[in-house]
C-alpha cells in the first residue's frame, strides 16, 4: 500500500481533484518490444497503450503493444492470443518499421474475437509481433509455438 500526500503551495487551500493515471506498457513502442521465446505463455495489457501510427491489414487497431521473437533457424511459427479478455488483432513484421509478413483478426476457433497466426513460415533472425485494439481495453495472453506443437 502507498499513501499519497499533497497540499497547497505556500499556504494555499481549496477544493481539489485527484486522478491516478495508468502509464503506457513498457512495450508500447516497437523499439521497446519484449523479447519472447517459444512454448511460453506471456501475459500483458493494452490498457494505456498509445497509437503507434501503424495500421496492419486495414484493422482499426491503433492502440498496440509489441513483442520480438528471434527464431534460431527457419521454422514454422504460430502465435495465439486466445484467452485474452478483449477483441485482439495480431500482426508479424520483419523489423520495426519493416515489412508486414502476416496478420489476423478474429480467429474462428478462438472465442472473444481473439487472434491467431497459424503456421507462418519465418526465417532465422528477429521478427516483431504487434497486437492491437480499437477501443477495447484488457489483459493480453500470448503463446508462441512452433510447428511441432498444435496449441495455437
Amino acid at each position: 500500500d502507498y499513501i499519497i500526500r499533497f497540499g497547497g503551495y505556500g499556504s494555499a487551500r481549496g477544493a481539489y481533484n485527484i486522478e491516478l493515471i495508468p502509464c503506457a506498457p513498457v512495450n508500447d513502442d516497437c523499439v521497446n518490444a519484449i523479447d519472447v521465446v517459444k512454448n511460453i505463455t506471456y501475459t500483458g495489457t493494452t490498457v494505456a497503450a498509445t497509437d503507434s501510427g501503424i495500421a496492419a491489414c486495414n484493422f482499426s487497431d491503433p492502440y498496440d503493444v509489441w513483442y520480438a521473437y528471434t527464431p534460431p533457424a527457419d521454422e514454422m511459427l504460430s502465435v495465439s492470443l486466445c484467452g485474452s479478455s478483449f477483441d485482439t488483432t495480431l500482426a508479424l513484421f520483419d523489423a520495426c518499421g519493416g515489412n508486414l509478413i502476416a496478420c489476423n483478426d478474429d480467429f474462428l476457433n478462438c472465442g472473444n474475437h481473439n487472434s491467431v497466426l497459424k503456421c507462418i513460415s519465418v526465417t532465422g533472425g528477429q521478427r516483431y509481433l504487434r497486437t492491437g485494439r480499437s477501443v477495447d481495453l484488457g489483459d493480453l495472453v500470448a503463446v508462441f509455438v512452433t510447428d511441432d506443437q498444435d496449441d495455437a
Side-chain angles (χ1 to χ4, degrees), residues 70-87:
T70 305
D74 296 357
E75 65 183 23
M76 300 297 287
L77 175 69
S78 294
V79 182
S80 171
L81 297 181
C82 294
S84 297
S85 68
F86 64 102
D87 185 355

Side-chain angles (χ1 to χ4, degrees), residues 75-143:
E75 65 183 23
M76 300 297 287
L77 175 69
S78 294
V79 182
S80 171
L81 297 181
C82 294
S84 297
S85 68
F86 64 102
D87 185 355
T88 63
T89 61
L90 183 59
L92 176 66
F93 292 86
D94 62 359
C96 288
N99 297 309
L100 177 67
I101 296 170
C103 57
N104 179 258
D105 183 21
D106 301 343
F107 189 72
L108 292 177
N109 298 324
C110 201
N112 200 29
H113 302 284
N114 292 163
S115 304
V116 172
L117 295 177
K118 190 147 182 76
C119 298
I120 306 299
S121 178
V122 293
T123 57
Q126 198 162 52
R127 300 293 176 254
Y128 293 88
L129 292 141
R130 173 190 180 268
T131 182
R133 65 171 172 85
S134 55
V135 295
D136 296 334
L137 302 172
D139 296 322
L140 180 69
V141 176
V143 181

